[in-house]
Structures are given as C-alpha cells and as structure tokens.
C-alpha cells in the first residue's frame, strides 16, 4: 500500500521519498510552496508519448501529458523513466527580494527550469545583482560549461542568454521582467544567491553593468532578440586603471527606418567628454582609457519587416593593460613645419592616437594644437618624417651668406626615431640654389650603390619631382649649383639613434643669381679613391635641352684619367647632344663630340671643365657616368732623374778611387819634370838631375806636383790623359798652337798672384812650355828668381 505523508503548511516543496525503481511506473510525492507553480510537460520530442503523468485523487487518478501543481500532490507516472519524457518548470511570482535557488531532489533527474517573475513598482527599477555569480552573455544556440544557462527577458523581449563567471555584475530591468535558470537532468543546482533591490526609474529596456577584469580579456555582447522599435539598451563599462578598451563590431543588421536620419548608431560617453556617435559600418573607438557607457537605440521601423532584418548587433569589448605615452603641444607656425609619425608595422601592438583617433600614420602641422597618445610603442616601432619649408621671396631677405640646414626638434615627447628630414627651399624668382657641406665634401652615390654613412642626401626638383642625385658625406664634390628656385633636400638617416644629430647642419644653402648652366658641380678629386660622377637624374636621362657642367680642380703636378664608364646618347632631330672636355688654365679643348660615337678615356694634365648638353627633342635617354682617378705627373721624370743621378754617382766614385790610387803611387816614386835643352833622354826618377843643367838654368824645378797646381783643369777623362804623361822631356817636341790645343777654363785668382796667373795667354804658354818641355826663352819673359823660388816652395 502506498502512503502519502506531507505537511500542508510547508513553505517549500520537498521530496518525502526516493524515486522507486518500479517496473512500468514511478511515483513522486510533492509538496508545493505557496506562491510557487510547478509545471510538468512532455518535451516537444515526446508530445505523442504514451507515458503519462497522473495526479492521484480520492477516486480515479487523472492521467495526462502535462500537469500544473500549486499545492502538495502525489504524482504517478505510467513509465519507469519519466525524466526522458517530461521537463519541469518551477515558477516563482512577484519577486522583490533576493533570489535563493532551491533544489528539488524529486526532480533532479529531470531537465528543469527555474523561473522568477519580477514586476517592480511603476516608479522603480529592479536591480539584479549577479556579483556572486557574474554573467557572460552568449549566443542563443550556445551552452555553458557548468550546464547552468541564465535567460533574461524584459517585457516579453529576450535581452540575452548568459553563463556564470562573467563580467556582468548587475542588470537593471524596467517594468516586467523574467529571469530563468536552465539546469539539465542529473546536474546539481548551483544555489548562488542573486540580489534583488529597487532603484530609480530608467528609460532603457535594460541596463548592463560590466566590470572588466584586471587582466587582458575579451567579452561578447548582443542586442536583445527582436529589438523593439524605439527601444534602447545600455551598457556601463568599468575599466581597471592602466587598461584600455577596444570596441569591435563583429556582425550587425539594421532595419529600414521610417526616418533615415534616425538609423541605429553606437553612442559612446566618457566622463568629461562629449558623446561620440559611430555608425555600424565604421571603425569603433579603440585603446580608450577610463570607464564609459555605450547605448544602442532602435529607430521607428518603416512597415513590417522580417525578423532577420531587425536590429541586431554583436560586438566585442577587449581590455588590455598598456603602457601609455602622451605628448601635447603646438608646432610654431613661423617654421612652416610638419611632422609625420608613422607606425612601421601595421600588425604591431603599438597604437598611435591623435585627438582620440587611432591612425597608423599621424600628421602634425604647424599652428595646430595636438594631443598625441602612444600605447605599447617601442622606440624602434615608430618613425618620424619631418617636412620643413624655407621660403625667401625677396632678394633683400636672402643674403648670399650660406644658411645651415638644421631641424630644431623641440617636441621631444613625440615618440619614434627621426628617420627622414625634408627641406623645401623656395627662393626668389629666377634665382639659383647653391649647396655645400660644412662637415666635408659630398660623394655621389648612385641608387645601385650603398652609402656607408649614417645619412643619405637626396636633391630633387619640387615642381617636377625629378631627382638630381643622391649624395653621401666624405666625398669630393665641394659645391652644387642648381638653376632652380624651388628644390627639395631629403636627409634619410641610416641609423638615427641620437636625435641630437638633427641639430647639426647637414648642408648649407644660399640663393644666388641665375647661373649659365642648369647644373654646376665643383669637384676636387683625391688621390686615394676614384671620383664617381653621373648626369643628374641617373639612371634616368637628363631633361631635354638641359646642361650640366663639372668644374674639376686638380693640384699642381697632378693629372687625371677621365673614364667614361656608361654613356647613352639619344637620337636628336635637330641639334645633337654634346660632350666637351676643356682645360681651365690653358683653355685647350681636349675632347668634343656631338655624335653617338664611343668615347675614349682621356688623360687630362690639369684642372678642366666637363660639359654636357642634351638636345631639344631626344629620342631616348641622355645619361653618362664617369670616373676620375689621379696620378702624379712627375713620376716618370723622377725615374729618369734618379737614373742619371745613379750614373753620376758611379763616375764620381770611380774618379775618387783613381785620384786615391794616383796619390798613393806618386808618394812611392815622385815624378821629376826637368828642362833638357840638350835633348838627353832619361826616365824621371831613375837618374839624377844633370849637373850641367843645374848650373846653366837656375829656374829648373826639381819637382812639380801637377795635381796641386792644375787640378782644376782636369774636367774630363780626355783632359786627364793628356796631363798624365810623364815621358822624358827630351823626347817630346810640341809645337803649341791655339788651333791644336783647346781653350782652358778660367780659374779664380788667388790672393797672392804670381807670374803664372797674370794673364790667360801667359798661363797657357808657360803651362805648355814647362810641361811639354818647350823652351820659353823666345816668346815668354823670364821668371825672376824670387818668383821661381815661390813656385818651388808652392810645389814642395
């Protein structure tokens, strides 16, 4: 016999026994709380099931496919597993206090739904506090990990499905609302309390209060399903300090509004700022600090529309902790300055914002106040490009003194590395620009070469954008002159780690009167490295009818090899192109051509001009690349001089040795020069001097050292051989004649002049008379005894 025991005044529904394991039937004894309704219905998949739920009464039991229980009831099922057929709804009405979910052990095997109906007073709003659970909004078809799915509806409009452990802490409900909790069969109920309180009236359908966690997170949110006309939903986001939020719309649909200007929008409000309204099809705010509100309001719909065309927005709120840098200021208007801040990698986490607008490239101009924010930007992720215009309209304002090209970087807070500086030089009408490098000469750097420097300079025309050339520091180009009043100079940094480099002048400029050529380059080549030159615009051709001249200055005694490495001369209709080389000092034309013949290399002995002219209507490009190498013009002459000096040294050495040996020989056997009128032959040094000679001629010398007296007469080998003879004077008969004997060079006059040095004629007669053995009595005056003794003393 089955027995039912229950207390009629019980406030809660409870189960008095376990579900009996009966074959073909199951019986439950249920007590229902006052104000609570329990609905047991067959699921949609089992509407035609034979399994029935029966309410036992005093007489015949009432069996049907669904029942509603409002009081204690004894239930009986016609099948052993009714949980597979029936679902249970436990409904509580008029909730104004905290919600405390209660478990029904009798229905634990059934899929059950707990429903709390809420209806605040007309002037109040009901606040549902989910701080203990936290809600996370999901799509209608999604499920939750813990099998607990919350559903919230307001005025019969579903405002969302939620899981626990989310960022939604509170939901404000206007008017009638319903909160549901779905729990599957066999899943224990999570009995977390949901706070309920009353607050001031709101105008929106529902308000969601979201507290983003202090970690990087992304939350999904959805507008209410079947969004009513003119209805509004609001979200209040609390953002942790140092965290910044991004808003992204993943998908949306908008209806056809009765008034197109009222199309639904996203309206953002930050404290202290004006509201920001965004359409659905544009980028939404990103990297915004601080708490903010977001509201979405539907419009009045124009006529009936299918549900798929109603208002639906699926958006994400991401919160990321970021490092922030801020720069606020003004660029002086008088500098005509523009700074472009560019993020190198668009995929980088670095974020740049100018006045709350996120951009990968930000431009700041003179005269404008700016607020620049950067988030998570490393120094090398951002590049700066500076444009500065320098204008001089009147000649009286343009002194010929060169002015330095510098950039005074006053806004130090702007992030990034200074990569490029562009100066736009605007001079008076019909003026020319002259450029020089104060840090040293410039080197031409063609595009295919690398500039091994921290900076690369590009000179171009402003109006046409045609590049004149690229240049590096430490070269041979001393000056660049351009017949143009507007040019642009771009300084590109290869490695700009120090912003102070920008304060150093890269170039100096000055405006001058018009020049004869379109381009003039002053070049001073160096011995160590070749100098590369190229026509303006290389590798493109020169402009039609344009002219260029190189002034190549060389040091004295230096000559240059001019090599034409690559020359392209176009075909011309009228006047041909021209290439000419002319020396500067001697004004000699070394080369000139107006045809496309192959140009040969030139050896230029001094400083020279290299001139080129393009024709008026060229067919093709006129371009040329040259190379200049230097060599010393005295190199060959120096070799010849060194060879001659070597030969002279050998001769001098030989003469010195000969004199040394002769001196040594004369010391061993001194030669004797004797006057022998009797013509008796004798060998000098072997016989004594004849006594008759001593008695007859008192002026005969015992010994004469010719090397001491007449050494200055020995100038060449022939003369030496002529004066070396020591033969017997008696065998030598010389008929002296000026025609038979060469003139002797003049000698310097000694302080004590004797008869031998009185006159050139006397010297010659005496020399040939005494040396050759000829008598001097007939033509020459006799030497006095005093003078003869002086000569004897001199020779000894």
């Amino acid at each position: 016999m089955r027995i039912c025991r229950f207390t009629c005044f019980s406030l809660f529904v409870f189960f008095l026994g376990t579900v009996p394991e009966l074959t073909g039937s199951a019986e439950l004894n249920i007590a229902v709380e006052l104000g609570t309704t329990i609905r047991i219905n067959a699921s949609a998949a089992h509407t035609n099931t034979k399994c029935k739920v029966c309410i036992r009464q005093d007489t015949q039991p009432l069996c049907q496919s669904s029942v509603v229980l409002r009081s204690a009831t004894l239930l009986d099922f016609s099948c052993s597993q009714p949980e597979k057929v029936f679902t249970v709804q436990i409904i509580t009405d008029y909730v104004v206090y905290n919600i405390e979910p209660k478990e029904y052990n009798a229905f634990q095997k059934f899929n059950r739904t707990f429903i709390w109906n809420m209806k605040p007073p007309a002037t109040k709003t009901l606040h549902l506090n989910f701080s203990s659970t936290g809600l996370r909004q999901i799509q209608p078809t999604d499920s939750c990990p813990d099998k607990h799915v919350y559903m919230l509806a307001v005025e019969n409009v579903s405002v969302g499905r939620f899981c626990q452990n989310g960022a939604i802490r509170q939901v404000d409900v206007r008017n009638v609302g319903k909160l549901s909790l779905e729990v599957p069969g066999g899943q224990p109920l999570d009995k977390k309390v949901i706070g309920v309180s009353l607050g001031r009236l709101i105008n929106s359908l529902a308000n969601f209060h979201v507290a983003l966690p202090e970690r990087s997170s992304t939350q999904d949110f959805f507008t209410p399903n079947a969004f009513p006309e003119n209805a509004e939903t609001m979200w209040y986001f609390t953002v942790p300090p140092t965290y910044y939020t991004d808003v992204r719309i993943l998908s949306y649909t908008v209806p056809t509004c009765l008034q197109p200007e009222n199309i639904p929008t996203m309206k953002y409000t930050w404290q202290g700022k004006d509201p920001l309204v965004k359409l659905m099809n544009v980028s939404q705010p990103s990297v915004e600090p601080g708490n903010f509100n977001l509201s979405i309001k539907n419009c009045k719909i124009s006529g009936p529309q299918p549900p798929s065309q109603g208002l639906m927005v699926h958006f994400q709120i991401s919160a990321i902790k970021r490092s922030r840098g801020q720069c606020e200021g003004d660029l002086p208007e008088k500098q005509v300055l523009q700074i472009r801040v560019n993020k190198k990698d668009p995929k980088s986490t670095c974020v740049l914002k100018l006045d709350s607008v996120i951009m990968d490239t930000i431009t700041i101009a003179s005269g404008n106040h700016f607020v620049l924010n950067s988030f998570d930007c490393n120094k090398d992720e951002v590049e700066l490009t500076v444009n500065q215009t320098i204008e001089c309209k009147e000649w009286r304002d343009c002194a010929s003194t060169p002015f330095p090209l510098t950039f005074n970087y006053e806004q130090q807070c702007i992030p990034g590395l200074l990569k490029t500086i562009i100066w736009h030089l605007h001079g008076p009408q019909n003026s020319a620009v002259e450029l020089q490098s104060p840090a040293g000469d410039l080197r031409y750097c063609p595009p295919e070469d690398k500039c091994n420097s921290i900076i690369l300079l590009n000179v171009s025309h402003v109006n046409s954008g045609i590049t004149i050339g690229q240049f590096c520091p430490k070269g041979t180009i001393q000056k660049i002159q351009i017949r143009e009043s507007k040019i642009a100079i771009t300084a590109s940094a290869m490695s700009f780690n120090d912003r102070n480099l920008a304060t150093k002048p890269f170039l100096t400029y000055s405006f001058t009167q018009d020049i004869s050529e379109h381009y003039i380059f002053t070049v001073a080549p160096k011995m160590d490295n070749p100098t590369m030159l190229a026509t303006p615009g290389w590798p493109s051709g020169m402009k039609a009818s344009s002219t260029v001249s190189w002034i190549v200055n060389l040091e004295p005694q230096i000559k240059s090899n001019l090599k034409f490495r690559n020359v392209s001369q176009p075909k011309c209709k009228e006047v041909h192109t021209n290439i000419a080389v002319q020396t500067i000092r001697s004004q000699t034309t070394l080369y000139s051509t107006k045809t496309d013949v192959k140009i040969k290399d030139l050896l230029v002995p001094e400083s020279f001009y290299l001139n080129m002219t393009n024709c008026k209507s060229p067919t093709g490009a006129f371009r040329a690349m040259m190379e200049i190498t230097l060599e010393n013009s005295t190199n060959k002459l120096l070799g010849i001089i060194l060879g001659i000096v070597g030969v002279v040294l050998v001769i001098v050495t030989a003469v010195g040795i000969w004199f040394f040996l002769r001196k040594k020989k004369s010391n061993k056997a001194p030669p004797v020069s004797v006057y022998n009128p009797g013509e008796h032959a004798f060998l000098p040094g072997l016989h004594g001097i004849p006594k008759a000679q001593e008695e007859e001629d008192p002026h005969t010398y015992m010994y004469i050292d010719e090397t001491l007296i007449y050494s200055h007469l020995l100038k060449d080998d022939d003369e030496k051989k002529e004066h070396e003879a020591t033969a017997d004077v008696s065998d030598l008969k010389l008929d002296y004649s000026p025609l038979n004997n060469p003139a002797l060079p003049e000698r310097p006059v000694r302080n004590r002049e004797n008869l031998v040095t009185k006159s050139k004629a006397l010297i010659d007669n005496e020399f040939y008379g005494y040396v050759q053995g000829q008598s001097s009595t007939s033509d020459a005056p006799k030497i006095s005894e005093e003078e003869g003794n002086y000569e004897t003393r001199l020779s000894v």
Side-chain angles (χ1 to χ4, degrees):
M1 178 179 179
R2 301 181 178 90
I3 301 174
C4 176
R5 297 178 180 179
F6 62 92
T7 304
C8 297
F9 301 100
S10 175
L11 298 178
F12 304 102
V13 178
F14 61 92
F15 178 55
L16 300 179
T18 60
V19 178
E21 296 295 338
L22 302 176
T23 302
S25 65
E27 186 181 72
L28 298 176
N29 196 356
I30 307 298
V32 183
E33 176 190 355
L34 182 65
T36 300
T37 301
I38 299 177
R39 295 177 181 273
I40 303 174
N41 299 300
S43 61
H46 300 84
T47 54
N48 298 324
T49 182
K50 295 180 179 180
C51 184
K52 303 297 182 180
V53 55
C54 301
I55 300 175
R56 183 173 292 279
Q57 297 179 352
D58 295 338
T59 57
Q60 190 70 20
L62 178 62
C63 296
Q64 52 191 8
S65 59
S66 62
V67 296
V68 176
L69 305 179
R70 292 185 173 86
S71 59
T73 307
L74 183 64
L75 298 180
D76 191 8
F77 294 92
S78 61
C79 57
S80 60
Q81 294 180 318
E83 67 274 7
K84 294 183 178 181
V85 178
F86 296 94
T87 60
V88 177
Q89 290 182 342
I90 302 162
I91 305 169
T92 303
D93 295 324
Y94 307 111
V95 175
V96 292
Y97 301 105
N98 291 350
I99 297 174
E100 300 180 6
K102 299 297 181 179
E103 178 65 285
Y104 286 81
N105 292 333
F107 299 127
Q108 188 171 353
K109 289 187 177 183
F110 289 82
N111 292 335
R112 54 211 188 271
T113 301
F114 299 87
I115 300 175
W116 296 274
N117 292 319
M118 301 164 288
K119 187 176 181 180
T123 58
K124 295 292 182 178
T125 295
L126 205 62
H127 300 312
L128 303 179
N129 191 333
F130 295 94
S131 298
S132 60
T133 60
L135 295 183
R136 175 174 59 86
Q137 193 169 9
I138 61 175
Q139 299 203 58
T141 57
D142 291 345
S143 60
C144 298
D146 60 357
K147 308 300 182 182
H148 285 60
V149 179
Y150 290 88
M151 294 174 292
L152 182 63
V154 178
E155 298 176 0
N156 296 324
V157 176
S158 175
V159 296
R161 289 164 54 89
F162 309 89
C163 296
Q164 293 189 96
N165 302 320
I168 299 174
R169 293 292 183 261
Q170 179 178 311
V171 180
D172 303 331
V173 178
R174 183 191 72 180
N175 209 340
V176 178
K178 181 174 68 173
L179 177 64
S180 303
L181 174 59
E182 293 181 348
V183 182
Q187 180 71 33
L189 174 66
D190 192 337
K191 301 177 182 180
K192 292 179 180 179
V193 177
I194 301 172
V196 178
S197 61
L198 297 176
R200 63 183 182 86
L201 186 66
I202 62 175
N203 296 323
S204 58
L205 191 67
N207 292 349
F208 297 90
H209 297 264
V210 184
L212 300 177
E214 292 191 13
R215 55 180 174 80
S216 297
S217 62
T218 299
Q219 309 286 333
D220 286 81
F221 300 93
F222 304 87
T223 53
N225 190 18
F227 210 127
E229 291 182 326
N230 291 327
E232 182 181 22
T233 302
M234 293 194 67
W235 290 263
Y236 295 84
F237 295 97
T238 301
V239 183
T242 71
Y243 279 76
Y244 298 84
T245 53
D246 300 333
V247 182
R248 290 182 59 199
I249 295 180
L250 301 183
S251 62
Y252 72 94
T253 58
V254 292
T256 302
C257 299
L258 187 63
Q259 296 177 331
E261 64 273 12
N262 293 332
I263 187 172
T265 59
M266 310 280 284
K267 184 179 179 180
Y268 303 88
T269 305
W270 283 269
Q271 185 176 2
K273 296 183 180 180
D274 294 334
L276 178 64
V277 179
K278 291 279 190 177
L279 295 173
M280 305 293 178
N281 58 349
V282 299
S283 298
Q284 304 302 305
S286 184
V287 195
E288 288 290 344
N291 305 333
F292 68 99
N293 306 335
L294 170 60
S295 66
I296 301 176
K297 184 177 182 179
N298 200 3
C299 62
K300 186 173 181 59
I301 298 175
S302 175
Q305 295 186 8
S308 60
Q309 293 300 318
L311 177 60
M312 187 283 299
V313 183
H314 174 198
F315 63 94
Q316 281 184 343
I317 302 292
S318 299
I320 303 174
K321 187 175 183 178
R322 295 179 178 272
S323 60
R324 177 189 179 190
Q326 184 173 2
C327 185
E328 183 175 359
D330 301 90
L331 293 182
E333 186 173 1
K334 63 180 181 180
Q335 291 188 3
V336 194
L337 195 63
Q338 184 185 79
I339 300 178
R340 187 169 71 246
V341 186
N342 180 54
K343 188 172 74 171
K344 293 196 296 184
D345 184 7
K347 298 180 180 179
S348 170
T349 57
C350 169
V351 177
L352 299 173
K353 295 183 67 176
L354 180 64
D355 300 330
S356 300
V357 179
I358 294 179
M359 293 178 284
D360 288 341
T361 300
I362 292 175
T363 302
I364 305 171
S366 296
N368 297 330
H369 183 78
F370 67 91
V371 179
L372 174 62
N373 288 285
S374 59
F375 303 90
D376 293 344
C377 294
N378 296 326
K379 187 177 181 181
D380 56 350
E381 289 185 295
V382 181
E383 292 179 347
L384 300 182
T385 300
V386 178
N387 282 269
Q388 187 172 10
T389 301
I390 302 174
E391 189 172 16
C392 182
K393 295 182 179 180
E394 301 295 335
W395 276 112
R396 62 175 177 269
D397 301 328
C398 305
S400 59
T401 303
F403 296 96
L405 282 178
T406 58
F407 169 57
N408 296 323
Y409 189 78
E410 298 175 352
Q411 301 297 334
Q412 294 290 338
C413 60
I414 296 180
L417 294 175
L418 185 58
K419 185 66 176 177
T420 304
I421 306 176
I422 304 174
W423 291 280
H424 300 270
L425 304 182
H426 296 175
Q429 190 175 5
N430 299 325
S431 64
V433 178
E434 185 174 295
L435 302 176
Q436 289 179 284
S437 175
D441 298 337
L442 300 174
R443 177 174 66 86
Y444 175 73
C445 182
E448 61 269 17
D449 290 351
K450 291 184 179 180
C451 181
N452 296 324
S453 176
I454 63 173
I455 188 171
L456 176 66
L457 298 173
N458 183 289
V459 182
S460 61
H461 294 277
V462 172
N463 295 331
S464 62
I466 298 175
T467 298
I468 299 172
Q470 293 187 146
F471 305 93
C472 297
K474 299 180 180 180
T476 59
I477 300 176
Q478 297 177 326
K479 186 189 302 182
I480 301 174
Q481 295 170 274
I482 306 167
R483 193 169 73 183
E484 175 64 59
S485 60
K486 294 183 179 181
I487 67 166
I489 302 170
T490 302
S492 300
M494 304 295 106
S495 175
F496 252 141
N497 294 324
D498 184 6
R499 291 189 177 185
N500 292 329
L501 290 174
T503 62
K504 300 177 182 178
F506 302 124
L507 287 175
T508 60
Y509 73 93
S510 59
F511 297 109
T512 63
Q513 297 292 339
D514 198 5
I515 59 177
S516 58
E517 312 291 341
H518 288 89
Y519 311 96
I520 300 177
F521 298 87
T522 303
V523 186
K526 299 177 182 179
M527 290 291 295
D528 51 353
N529 291 318
T531 296
M532 299 298 301
L533 303 176
T535 50
W538 178 272
S540 299
M542 290 176 59
K543 190 177 179 181
S545 301
S546 61
T547 59
V548 58
S549 178
W550 290 270
I551 304 174
V552 183
N553 294 317
L554 304 179
E555 295 290 337
Q557 306 301 324
I558 298 296
K559 58 185 177 181
S560 63
N561 287 309
L562 177 60
K563 298 180 180 180
F564 293 89
R565 296 179 55 184
N566 192 336
V567 178
S568 175
Q569 292 183 263
K571 295 181 179 179
C572 303
K573 293 182 179 179
E574 298 177 358
V575 181
H576 293 283
T577 60
N578 183 37
I579 300 176
V581 179
Q582 183 184 39
T583 59
I584 295 177
R585 182 176 57 84
S586 60
Q587 294 293 307
T588 302
T589 301
L590 301 180
Y591 183 83
S592 179
T593 181
K594 296 183 179 181
T595 61
D596 56 355
V597 297
K598 185 177 180 181
I599 305 176
K600 297 181 180 180
D601 299 340
L602 296 176
L603 182 62
V604 186
E606 60 177 273
S607 302
F608 63 94
Y609 299 110
L610 173 59
N611 302 322
M612 294 188 185
T613 304
N614 196 6
C615 58
K616 185 176 181 180
S617 301
T619 303
F622 179 50
R623 59 188 180 186
M625 178 174 284
M626 291 72 64
E627 179 182 278
I628 298 176
T629 56
L630 302 184
E631 66 179 40
N632 198 327
S633 60
T634 61
N635 288 342
K636 295 182 179 179
L637 181 59
L638 181 61
I640 297 173
I641 294 174
L642 291 177
I644 295 175
V645 170
V647 173
V648 172
L649 288 176
V650 171
I651 295 173
V652 171
T653 303
V655 172
I657 294 173
W658 180 84
F659 274 114
F660 173 77
L661 295 176
R662 179 173 176 78
K663 179 67 175 178
K664 186 175 181 181
K665 181 178 179 181
S666 63
N667 290 336
K668 292 182 180 179
V672 179
S673 180
V674 180
Y675 173 68
N676 187 10
E679 298 183 354
H680 298 288
F682 65 92
L683 292 178
L686 298 179
H687 307 280
I689 299 175
K691 295 181 179 181
Q693 179 69 24
E694 290 182 7
E695 295 175 355
E696 293 179 0
D697 190 355
H699 299 289
T700 301
Y701 302 106
M702 180 180 183
Y703 170 75
I704 298 177
D705 189 348
E706 295 174 353
T707 60
L708 295 177
I709 300 176
Y710 305 109
S711 60
H712 60 281
L713 301 177
L714 305 176
K715 292 188 175 180
D716 52 40
D717 293 341
D718 295 336
E719 293 177 350
K720 291 175 184 176
K721 293 180 181 179
E722 181 177 344
H723 297 293
E724 286 177 1
T726 56
D728 192 343
V729 294
S730 61
D731 296 333
L732 298 177
K733 299 281 187 174
L734 179 61
D735 185 13
Y736 173 74
S737 173
L739 298 176
N740 298 329
N741 297 278
L744 297 177
E746 295 185 2
R747 300 189 303 275
V749 179
R750 292 191 176 95
N751 293 332
R752 296 182 62 184
E753 186 179 282
N754 53 34
L755 295 177
V756 180
T757 60
K758 285 184 179 180
S759 66
K760 184 177 186 302
L762 179 60
I763 291 172
D764 294 341
N765 292 335
E766 290 181 347
F767 175 76
Y768 286 98
Y770 292 123
V771 175
Q772 303 295 339
Q774 179 181 333
S775 176
S776 60
T777 58
S778 60
D779 297 327
K782 293 183 179 180
I783 301 176
S784 63
E785 181 179 358
E786 182 181 357
E787 291 172 347
N789 294 336
Y790 172 75
E791 285 289 77
T792 303
R793 289 194 303 270
L794 180 61
S795 64
V796 174

